[in-house]
Amino acid sequence: MTRGVRAVLAVYIGVFVWGTLVHLVDLTGGGHSSYALDAPAVVRAFFVALVVLDPLVAVLLWRRRPAGVVAAGLVMGADLAANSWVLGPDAAALWAPGLFCAFIAVTAVPLYQRLAGPVPAAAPGAPPAVPSGRSGRRAG
């Protein structure tokens, strides 16, 4: 694994560990009512669920699982959307999650490809991976 891939993984993992700590502090300080915002229940439940989702993503990435990259994008996309709902699109507090979402958008595909490894070649005599032009439907 290259130094660049390790650096990108370190950023991802560091941010998700930081997010875990922030959400734990929020919940220990005010319990589930710390997110008693003027927002739909699903948004408040999502903020509470981040106490589990953030460390799950960090562990997947620590173990170098490609699913961790997908989970990182999904969790951060949902987190940015939920925070935008609560804080409004012009909130200054959105710069950090927005910047991290941009970082994920730029690095996710190459990171996923590096973690997934090369696609294995088909075994001799195996059927082709792509159909040879026949769709199985009759013309007419």
Side-chain angles (χ1 to χ4, degrees), residues 6-34:
R6 285 193 301 269
V8 170
L9 274 172
V11 170
Y12 275 54
I13 293 167
V15 170
F16 280 100
V17 168
W18 176 256
T20 300
L21 296 174
V22 167
H23 293 291
L24 280 172
V25 167
D26 287 347
L27 287 177
T28 56
H32 65 82
S33 63
S34 60

PDB file of all heavy atoms in Angstrom, residues 6-34:
ATOM      1  N   ARG A   6      -2.227   5.314   2.396  1.00  0.00           N
ATOM      2  CA  ARG A   6      -2.218   5.306   3.869  1.00  0.00           C
ATOM      3  C   ARG A   6      -2.594   6.675   4.425  1.00  0.00           C
ATOM      4  O   ARG A   6      -3.315   6.776   5.421  1.00  0.00           O
ATOM      5  CB  ARG A   6      -0.859   4.865   4.399  1.00  0.00           C
ATOM      6  CG  ARG A   6      -0.633   3.371   4.268  1.00  0.00           C
ATOM      7  CD  ARG A   6       0.571   2.896   5.070  1.00  0.00           C
ATOM      8  NE  ARG A   6       1.819   3.535   4.694  1.00  0.00           N
ATOM      9  CZ  ARG A   6       2.662   3.080   3.775  1.00  0.00           C
ATOM     10  NH1 ARG A   6       2.386   1.955   3.136  1.00  0.00           N
ATOM     11  NH2 ARG A   6       3.774   3.722   3.494  1.00  0.00           N
ATOM     12  N   ALA A   7      -2.124   7.745   3.774  1.00  0.00           N
ATOM     13  CA  ALA A   7      -2.452   9.098   4.232  1.00  0.00           C
ATOM     14  C   ALA A   7      -3.941   9.383   4.087  1.00  0.00           C
ATOM     15  O   ALA A   7      -4.574   9.943   4.988  1.00  0.00           O
ATOM     16  CB  ALA A   7      -1.631  10.127   3.452  1.00  0.00           C
ATOM     17  N   VAL A   8      -4.529   8.995   2.953  1.00  0.00           N
ATOM     18  CA  VAL A   8      -5.968   9.205   2.741  1.00  0.00           C
ATOM     19  C   VAL A   8      -6.760   8.407   3.771  1.00  0.00           C
ATOM     20  O   VAL A   8      -7.712   8.922   4.374  1.00  0.00           O
ATOM     21  CB  VAL A   8      -6.372   8.841   1.294  1.00  0.00           C
ATOM     22  CG1 VAL A   8      -7.882   8.810   1.136  1.00  0.00           C
ATOM     23  CG2 VAL A   8      -5.749   9.829   0.314  1.00  0.00           C
ATOM     24  N   LEU A   9      -6.370   7.151   3.996  1.00  0.00           N
ATOM     25  CA  LEU A   9      -7.045   6.344   5.017  1.00  0.00           C
ATOM     26  C   LEU A   9      -6.934   6.993   6.393  1.00  0.00           C
ATOM     27  O   LEU A   9      -7.903   7.002   7.167  1.00  0.00           O
ATOM     28  CB  LEU A   9      -6.446   4.932   5.067  1.00  0.00           C
ATOM     29  CG  LEU A   9      -7.013   3.923   4.098  1.00  0.00           C
ATOM     30  CD1 LEU A   9      -6.194   2.637   4.136  1.00  0.00           C
ATOM     31  CD2 LEU A   9      -8.469   3.640   4.365  1.00  0.00           C
ATOM     32  N   ALA A  10      -5.771   7.541   6.709  1.00  0.00           N
ATOM     33  CA  ALA A  10      -5.576   8.189   8.014  1.00  0.00           C
ATOM     34  C   ALA A  10      -6.515   9.379   8.181  1.00  0.00           C
ATOM     35  O   ALA A  10      -7.073   9.589   9.268  1.00  0.00           O
ATOM     36  CB  ALA A  10      -4.121   8.620   8.179  1.00  0.00           C
ATOM     37  N   VAL A  11      -6.708  10.143   7.111  1.00  0.00           N
ATOM     38  CA  VAL A  11      -7.635  11.279   7.186  1.00  0.00           C
ATOM     39  C   VAL A  11      -9.056  10.774   7.422  1.00  0.00           C
ATOM     40  O   VAL A  11      -9.763  11.257   8.319  1.00  0.00           O
ATOM     41  CB  VAL A  11      -7.560  12.151   5.909  1.00  0.00           C
ATOM     42  CG1 VAL A  11      -8.686  13.187   5.883  1.00  0.00           C
ATOM     43  CG2 VAL A  11      -6.207  12.822   5.809  1.00  0.00           C
ATOM     44  N   TYR A  12      -9.490   9.811   6.628  1.00  0.00           N
ATOM     45  CA  TYR A  12     -10.839   9.254   6.797  1.00  0.00           C
ATOM     46  C   TYR A  12     -11.032   8.752   8.233  1.00  0.00           C
ATOM     47  O   TYR A  12     -12.012   9.105   8.900  1.00  0.00           O
ATOM     48  CB  TYR A  12     -11.049   8.066   5.852  1.00  0.00           C
ATOM     49  CG  TYR A  12     -11.489   8.348   4.442  1.00  0.00           C
ATOM     50  CD1 TYR A  12     -10.795   9.224   3.622  1.00  0.00           C
ATOM     51  CD2 TYR A  12     -12.576   7.685   3.900  1.00  0.00           C
ATOM     52  CE1 TYR A  12     -11.180   9.427   2.300  1.00  0.00           C
ATOM     53  CE2 TYR A  12     -12.972   7.888   2.593  1.00  0.00           C
ATOM     54  CZ  TYR A  12     -12.270   8.757   1.795  1.00  0.00           C
ATOM     55  OH  TYR A  12     -12.661   8.950   0.505  1.00  0.00           O
ATOM     56  N   ILE A  13     -10.122   7.909   8.674  1.00  0.00           N
ATOM     57  CA  ILE A  13     -10.259   7.293  10.008  1.00  0.00           C
ATOM     58  C   ILE A  13     -10.227   8.361  11.084  1.00  0.00           C
ATOM     59  O   ILE A  13     -11.040   8.341  12.014  1.00  0.00           O
ATOM     60  CB  ILE A  13      -9.170   6.227  10.222  1.00  0.00           C
ATOM     61  CG1 ILE A  13      -9.403   5.052   9.268  1.00  0.00           C
ATOM     62  CG2 ILE A  13      -9.146   5.755  11.666  1.00  0.00           C
ATOM     63  CD1 ILE A  13      -8.225   4.092   9.160  1.00  0.00           C
ATOM     64  N   GLY A  14      -9.299   9.308  10.975  1.00  0.00           N
ATOM     65  CA  GLY A  14      -9.209  10.376  11.974  1.00  0.00           C
ATOM     66  C   GLY A  14     -10.489  11.178  12.088  1.00  0.00           C
ATOM     67  O   GLY A  14     -10.955  11.483  13.195  1.00  0.00           O
ATOM     68  N   VAL A  15     -11.094  11.515  10.956  1.00  0.00           N
ATOM     69  CA  VAL A  15     -12.330  12.304  10.984  1.00  0.00           C
ATOM     70  C   VAL A  15     -13.466  11.493  11.598  1.00  0.00           C
ATOM     71  O   VAL A  15     -14.251  12.025  12.406  1.00  0.00           O
ATOM     72  CB  VAL A  15     -12.696  12.810   9.574  1.00  0.00           C
ATOM     73  CG1 VAL A  15     -14.096  13.410   9.550  1.00  0.00           C
ATOM     74  CG2 VAL A  15     -11.663  13.827   9.099  1.00  0.00           C
ATOM     75  N   PHE A  16     -13.564  10.214  11.274  1.00  0.00           N
ATOM     76  CA  PHE A  16     -14.657   9.415  11.836  1.00  0.00           C
ATOM     77  C   PHE A  16     -14.453   9.133  13.326  1.00  0.00           C
ATOM     78  O   PHE A  16     -15.428   9.063  14.083  1.00  0.00           O
ATOM     79  CB  PHE A  16     -14.882   8.138  11.025  1.00  0.00           C
ATOM     80  CG  PHE A  16     -15.674   8.406   9.776  1.00  0.00           C
ATOM     81  CD1 PHE A  16     -15.046   8.523   8.552  1.00  0.00           C
ATOM     82  CD2 PHE A  16     -17.044   8.594   9.837  1.00  0.00           C
ATOM     83  CE1 PHE A  16     -15.766   8.809   7.399  1.00  0.00           C
ATOM     84  CE2 PHE A  16     -17.781   8.889   8.698  1.00  0.00           C
ATOM     85  CZ  PHE A  16     -17.143   8.995   7.472  1.00  0.00           C
ATOM     86  N   VAL A  17     -13.221   8.998  13.771  1.00  0.00           N
ATOM     87  CA  VAL A  17     -12.962   8.863  15.218  1.00  0.00           C
ATOM     88  C   VAL A  17     -13.308  10.171  15.922  1.00  0.00           C
ATOM     89  O   VAL A  17     -13.938  10.164  16.993  1.00  0.00           O
ATOM     90  CB  VAL A  17     -11.498   8.441  15.477  1.00  0.00           C
ATOM     91  CG1 VAL A  17     -11.135   8.589  16.933  1.00  0.00           C
ATOM     92  CG2 VAL A  17     -11.268   7.001  15.009  1.00  0.00           C
ATOM     93  N   TRP A  18     -12.909  11.288  15.330  1.00  0.00           N
ATOM     94  CA  TRP A  18     -13.259  12.593  15.895  1.00  0.00           C
ATOM     95  C   TRP A  18     -14.782  12.750  15.976  1.00  0.00           C
ATOM     96  O   TRP A  18     -15.314  13.197  16.997  1.00  0.00           O
ATOM     97  CB  TRP A  18     -12.651  13.716  15.056  1.00  0.00           C
ATOM     98  CG  TRP A  18     -13.049  15.078  15.531  1.00  0.00           C
ATOM     99  CD1 TRP A  18     -13.957  15.907  14.965  1.00  0.00           C
ATOM    100  CD2 TRP A  18     -12.569  15.744  16.695  1.00  0.00           C
ATOM    101  NE1 TRP A  18     -14.072  17.054  15.693  1.00  0.00           N
ATOM    102  CE2 TRP A  18     -13.235  16.984  16.763  1.00  0.00           C
ATOM    103  CE3 TRP A  18     -11.656  15.419  17.678  1.00  0.00           C
ATOM    104  CZ2 TRP A  18     -12.998  17.894  17.780  1.00  0.00           C
ATOM    105  CZ3 TRP A  18     -11.425  16.341  18.697  1.00  0.00           C
ATOM    106  CH2 TRP A  18     -12.088  17.552  18.742  1.00  0.00           C
ATOM    107  N   GLY A  19     -15.481  12.388  14.910  1.00  0.00           N
ATOM    108  CA  GLY A  19     -16.947  12.470  14.916  1.00  0.00           C
ATOM    109  C   GLY A  19     -17.556  11.607  16.007  1.00  0.00           C
ATOM    110  O   GLY A  19     -18.515  12.017  16.673  1.00  0.00           O
ATOM    111  N   THR A  20     -16.997  10.419  16.210  1.00  0.00           N
ATOM    112  CA  THR A  20     -17.486   9.545  17.284  1.00  0.00           C
ATOM    113  C   THR A  20     -17.356  10.242  18.627  1.00  0.00           C
ATOM    114  O   THR A  20     -18.297  10.254  19.430  1.00  0.00           O
ATOM    115  CB  THR A  20     -16.676   8.227  17.309  1.00  0.00           C
ATOM    116  OG1 THR A  20     -16.825   7.577  16.058  1.00  0.00           O
ATOM    117  CG2 THR A  20     -17.156   7.311  18.429  1.00  0.00           C
ATOM    118  N   LEU A  21     -16.190  10.839  18.875  1.00  0.00           N
ATOM    119  CA  LEU A  21     -15.961  11.521  20.157  1.00  0.00           C
ATOM    120  C   LEU A  21     -16.903  12.707  20.336  1.00  0.00           C
ATOM    121  O   LEU A  21     -17.456  12.910  21.420  1.00  0.00           O
ATOM    122  CB  LEU A  21     -14.505  11.963  20.262  1.00  0.00           C
ATOM    123  CG  LEU A  21     -13.478  10.837  20.282  1.00  0.00           C
ATOM    124  CD1 LEU A  21     -12.063  11.395  20.229  1.00  0.00           C
ATOM    125  CD2 LEU A  21     -13.673   9.951  21.508  1.00  0.00           C
ATOM    126  N   VAL A  22     -17.097  13.474  19.293  1.00  0.00           N
ATOM    127  CA  VAL A  22     -17.997  14.633  19.367  1.00  0.00           C
ATOM    128  C   VAL A  22     -19.410  14.189  19.699  1.00  0.00           C
ATOM    129  O   VAL A  22     -20.070  14.759  20.587  1.00  0.00           O
ATOM    130  CB  VAL A  22     -17.965  15.442  18.052  1.00  0.00           C
ATOM    131  CG1 VAL A  22     -19.109  16.446  17.986  1.00  0.00           C
ATOM    132  CG2 VAL A  22     -16.627  16.135  17.893  1.00  0.00           C
ATOM    133  N   HIS A  23     -19.889  13.157  19.033  1.00  0.00           N
ATOM    134  CA  HIS A  23     -21.260  12.697  19.282  1.00  0.00           C
ATOM    135  C   HIS A  23     -21.383  12.052  20.666  1.00  0.00           C
ATOM    136  O   HIS A  23     -22.427  12.187  21.320  1.00  0.00           O
ATOM    137  CB  HIS A  23     -21.727  11.758  18.175  1.00  0.00           C
ATOM    138  CG  HIS A  23     -21.883  12.464  16.869  1.00  0.00           C
ATOM    139  ND1 HIS A  23     -22.863  13.393  16.622  1.00  0.00           N
ATOM    140  CD2 HIS A  23     -21.148  12.407  15.726  1.00  0.00           C
ATOM    141  CE1 HIS A  23     -22.738  13.872  15.403  1.00  0.00           C
ATOM    142  NE2 HIS A  23     -21.701  13.292  14.843  1.00  0.00           N
ATOM    143  N   LEU A  24     -20.345  11.375  21.121  1.00  0.00           N
ATOM    144  CA  LEU A  24     -20.370  10.818  22.481  1.00  0.00           C
ATOM    145  C   LEU A  24     -20.438  11.927  23.525  1.00  0.00           C
ATOM    146  O   LEU A  24     -21.196  11.829  24.497  1.00  0.00           O
ATOM    147  CB  LEU A  24     -19.146   9.939  22.732  1.00  0.00           C
ATOM    148  CG  LEU A  24     -19.209   8.529  22.187  1.00  0.00           C
ATOM    149  CD1 LEU A  24     -17.855   7.835  22.345  1.00  0.00           C
ATOM    150  CD2 LEU A  24     -20.297   7.725  22.878  1.00  0.00           C
ATOM    151  N   VAL A  25     -19.645  12.980  23.338  1.00  0.00           N
ATOM    152  CA  VAL A  25     -19.679  14.110  24.274  1.00  0.00           C
ATOM    153  C   VAL A  25     -21.058  14.758  24.261  1.00  0.00           C
ATOM    154  O   VAL A  25     -21.616  15.088  25.326  1.00  0.00           O
ATOM    155  CB  VAL A  25     -18.566  15.129  23.932  1.00  0.00           C
ATOM    156  CG1 VAL A  25     -18.770  16.443  24.667  1.00  0.00           C
ATOM    157  CG2 VAL A  25     -17.202  14.534  24.255  1.00  0.00           C
ATOM    158  N   ASP A  26     -21.632  14.934  23.073  1.00  0.00           N
ATOM    159  CA  ASP A  26     -22.979  15.508  22.972  1.00  0.00           C
ATOM    160  C   ASP A  26     -23.987  14.668  23.748  1.00  0.00           C
ATOM    161  O   ASP A  26     -24.800  15.196  24.507  1.00  0.00           O
ATOM    162  CB  ASP A  26     -23.434  15.601  21.515  1.00  0.00           C
ATOM    163  CG  ASP A  26     -22.727  16.710  20.753  1.00  0.00           C
ATOM    164  OD1 ASP A  26     -22.068  17.556  21.388  1.00  0.00           O
ATOM    165  OD2 ASP A  26     -22.831  16.699  19.515  1.00  0.00           O
ATOM    166  N   LEU A  27     -23.930  13.358  23.552  1.00  0.00           N
ATOM    167  CA  LEU A  27     -24.917  12.480  24.194  1.00  0.00           C
ATOM    168  C   LEU A  27     -24.688  12.354  25.691  1.00  0.00           C
ATOM    169  O   LEU A  27     -25.654  12.295  26.457  1.00  0.00           O
ATOM    170  CB  LEU A  27     -24.908  11.102  23.538  1.00  0.00           C
ATOM    171  CG  LEU A  27     -25.529  11.059  22.149  1.00  0.00           C
ATOM    172  CD1 LEU A  27     -25.415   9.664  21.555  1.00  0.00           C
ATOM    173  CD2 LEU A  27     -26.985  11.492  22.184  1.00  0.00           C
ATOM    174  N   THR A  28     -23.441  12.298  26.134  1.00  0.00           N
ATOM    175  CA  THR A  28     -23.200  12.192  27.582  1.00  0.00           C
ATOM    176  C   THR A  28     -23.534  13.496  28.281  1.00  0.00           C
ATOM    177  O   THR A  28     -23.924  13.494  29.435  1.00  0.00           O
ATOM    178  CB  THR A  28     -21.745  11.791  27.889  1.00  0.00           C
ATOM    179  OG1 THR A  28     -20.863  12.716  27.280  1.00  0.00           O
ATOM    180  CG2 THR A  28     -21.454  10.388  27.406  1.00  0.00           C
ATOM    181  N   GLY A  29     -23.411  14.605  27.561  1.00  0.00           N
ATOM    182  CA  GLY A  29     -23.743  15.897  28.157  1.00  0.00           C
ATOM    183  C   GLY A  29     -25.228  16.131  28.280  1.00  0.00           C
ATOM    184  O   GLY A  29     -25.688  16.738  29.244  1.00  0.00           O
ATOM    185  N   GLY A  30     -26.007  15.653  27.330  1.00  0.00           N
ATOM    186  CA  GLY A  30     -27.435  15.943  27.361  1.00  0.00           C
ATOM    187  C   GLY A  30     -28.318  14.759  27.069  1.00  0.00           C
ATOM    188  O   GLY A  30     -29.529  14.917  26.922  1.00  0.00           O
ATOM    189  N   GLY A  31     -27.730  13.572  26.942  1.00  0.00           N
ATOM    190  CA  GLY A  31     -28.536  12.400  26.623  1.00  0.00           C
ATOM    191  C   GLY A  31     -29.146  12.553  25.242  1.00  0.00           C
ATOM    192  O   GLY A  31     -28.720  13.378  24.441  1.00  0.00           O
ATOM    193  N   HIS A  32     -30.154  11.730  24.967  1.00  0.00           N
ATOM    194  CA  HIS A  32     -30.776  11.806  23.648  1.00  0.00           C
ATOM    195  C   HIS A  32     -31.455  13.141  23.422  1.00  0.00           C
ATOM    196  O   HIS A  32     -31.704  13.531  22.285  1.00  0.00           O
ATOM    197  CB  HIS A  32     -31.759  10.650  23.432  1.00  0.00           C
ATOM    198  CG  HIS A  32     -32.929  10.689  24.352  1.00  0.00           C
ATOM    199  ND1 HIS A  32     -34.012  11.474  24.107  1.00  0.00           N
ATOM    200  CD2 HIS A  32     -33.165  10.052  25.528  1.00  0.00           C
ATOM    201  CE1 HIS A  32     -34.893  11.327  25.097  1.00  0.00           C
ATOM    202  NE2 HIS A  32     -34.394  10.468  25.956  1.00  0.00           N
ATOM    203  N   SER A  33     -31.732  13.878  24.497  1.00  0.00           N
ATOM    204  CA  SER A  33     -32.371  15.190  24.330  1.00  0.00           C
ATOM    205  C   SER A  33     -31.367  16.254  23.903  1.00  0.00           C
ATOM    206  O   SER A  33     -31.756  17.391  23.641  1.00  0.00           O
ATOM    207  CB  SER A  33     -33.066  15.611  25.625  1.00  0.00           C
ATOM    208  OG  SER A  33     -32.121  15.766  26.659  1.00  0.00           O
ATOM    209  N   SER A  34     -30.070  15.910  23.828  1.00  0.00           N
ATOM    210  CA  SER A  34     -29.095  16.887  23.352  1.00  0.00           C
ATOM    211  C   SER A  34     -29.347  17.227  21.886  1.00  0.00           C
ATOM    212  O   SER A  34     -28.876  18.237  21.393  1.00  0.00           O
ATOM    213  CB  SER A  34     -27.668  16.371  23.544  1.00  0.00           C
ATOM    214  OG  SER A  34     -27.475  15.172  22.830  1.00  0.00           O
TER     215      SER A  34
END
